Amino acid sequence: MVFEGAKSAGRKFVVANWKMNPQTYGQADRLARSVAAYGDARVILCPPFPWLTDFSHKRFGVAWGAQDVFYENSGAYTGEVSAKMLLSSGVRYVIVGHSERRELGDTDAIVAKKLRAVLETGLSPIVCVGEKQRTKDKELRTEKEFVRKQLQAAFQGAFHNGALPRLSTRQSDYGPRVIIAYEPVWAISSRSGGRSDTPDGAAEMIRFIRDALAKLLEGSLLRLGRRAKFSVLYGGSVDGNNAAGFLGRPEVDGVLVGGASLKSKEFQKIVAAAREY
Ligand code: PGA
């Protein structure tokens, strides 16, 4: 039986990961305003920290997410930002375990601690998983095993020695939710030059992720599975031309967009495609 909590859920998400862009407040403000007009798709913008509070208070008709978080609640951690600070700044989502952060030193254990901090605070995590390389095996066996291990490390690691977090109703603008983003590292535009996965490949992996999550949630994470809704997105070189191919698949609950989210017109096309489904 597939556990209810891991089934696909409702309307499509479009998450914008601006990474360390753009370079000035003025440019960022213009970009945020241009997105504001798009309306009702589930748009989540993740700008760099310096602008996050200001933008989230202006709201712009979208939801706000951070690109990272620290796992401790408070204390002598120079340069870090806690989940509670994000929550009190109007932020509702946090990207956890992005491959670029993993490359900068976030191990599976750190990702698990960050996931725990995010859930305990009542924020919604966007947990990134994805293999580094794609083999020629059509069944994607190696890739699936890699992703399964990342999911297990993140979720079981997060709750290894403690109680499950309380998921509060304020958890997100769209209800208590855990988002997984399948982002094959080889398809991220800064590496791949814009070569994305195919909609078939993404759909196959997302089906697998949902099954793997269902198994995890049937066991020790049953309570988490009962309380939160799970959505699984695809990310990696999504743009205005290929977005509909991913968003049109019933398995795909939305897209996580990097490079194309910095180009207003391009992003608008992606949001328009999301509205169709
Ligand atoms: P991309 O980035 O859309 O530029 O490939 C996606 C990501 O890294 O989140």
Side-chain angles (χ1 to χ4, degrees):
M1 190 191 94
V2 174
F3 188 68
E4 176 83 59
K7 276 191 197 150
S8 177
R11 284 160 47 218
K12 308 273 172 167
F13 284 91
V14 181
V15 182
N17 176 12
W18 290 2
K19 308 191 180 182
M20 203 167 73
N21 299 294
Q23 293 306 303
T24 69
Y25 176 85
Q27 290 167 333
D29 190 62
R30 274 196 296 284
L31 186 58
R33 278 175 205 283
S34 72
V35 173
Y38 305 166
D40 63 10
R42 292 172 159 179
V43 176
I44 302 167
L45 299 189
C46 305
F49 280 132
W51 307 314
L52 195 47
T53 308
D54 179 36
F55 289 179
S56 68
H57 284 128
K58 288 180 182 158
R59 299 201 63 81
F60 291 115
V62 297
W64 294 93
Q67 296 174 18
D68 193 22
V69 67
F70 193 53
Y71 48 77
E72 295 292 350
N73 292 329
S74 65
Y77 303 103
T78 302
E80 298 292 354
V81 172
S82 75
K84 202 166 176 184
M85 290 172 187
L86 293 174
L87 182 69
S88 102
S89 301
V91 174
R92 292 292 174 265
Y93 295 86
V94 185
I95 297 175
V96 175
H98 191 280
S99 59
E100 287 155 13
R101 293 246 44 103
R102 291 181 193 258
E103 267 168 38
L104 289 169
D106 278 17
T107 59
D108 279 346
I110 291 173
V111 171
K113 283 202 229 177
K114 289 184 174 181
L115 175 59
R116 184 182 180 92
V118 167
L119 285 167
E120 275 182 341
T121 309
L123 291 160
S124 281
I126 302 171
V127 183
C128 296
V129 294
E131 79 279 4
K132 295 194 178 116
Q133 285 152 10
R134 180 62 61 87
T135 60
K136 293 220 161 69
D137 174 11
K138 286 211 175 61
E139 309 275 308
L140 304 178
R141 272 174 286 236
T142 326
E143 292 84 345
K144 286 174 178 168
E145 185 51 19
F146 186 86
V147 165
R148 193 192 62 73
K149 283 200 178 126
Q150 281 185 322
L151 286 171
Q152 186 173 14
F155 284 92
Q156 280 187 350
F159 306 113
H160 185 53
N161 273 325
L164 285 171
R166 209 166 36 85
L167 293 174
S168 76
T169 47
R170 70 176 175 208
Q171 191 184 29
S172 80
D173 294 5
Y174 311 112
R177 191 171 296 274
V178 175
I179 297 177
I180 312 293
Y182 169 56
E183 291 213 305
V185 179
W186 56 267
I188 290 179
S189 66
S190 53
R191 292 177 166 249
S192 74
R195 185 170 70 98
S196 67
D197 199 349
T198 59
D200 280 352
E204 166 86 23
M205 283 300 278
I206 287 177
R207 264 196 308 276
F208 171 78
I209 286 172
R210 221 167 250 124
D211 281 354
L213 272 175
K215 286 193 188 113
L216 272 172
L217 296 172
E218 270 171 357
S220 54
L221 296 172
L222 185 63
R223 278 202 300 140
L224 177 67
R226 281 216 185 105
R227 288 187 206 167
K229 289 204 169 70
F230 283 74
S231 300
V232 191
L233 319 186
Y234 167 74
S237 298
V238 174
D239 61 27
N241 293 325
N242 65 18
F246 295 106
L247 290 161
R249 302 295 297 244
E251 297 90 342
V252 181
D253 292 326
V255 286
L256 174 49
V257 188
S261 72
L262 299 168
K263 299 176 199 146
S264 174
K265 290 244 158 63
E266 194 77 10
F267 194 63
Q268 203 164 352
K269 271 166 96 179
I270 299 170
V271 175
R275 280 220 204 91
E276 297 289 309
Y277 300 101

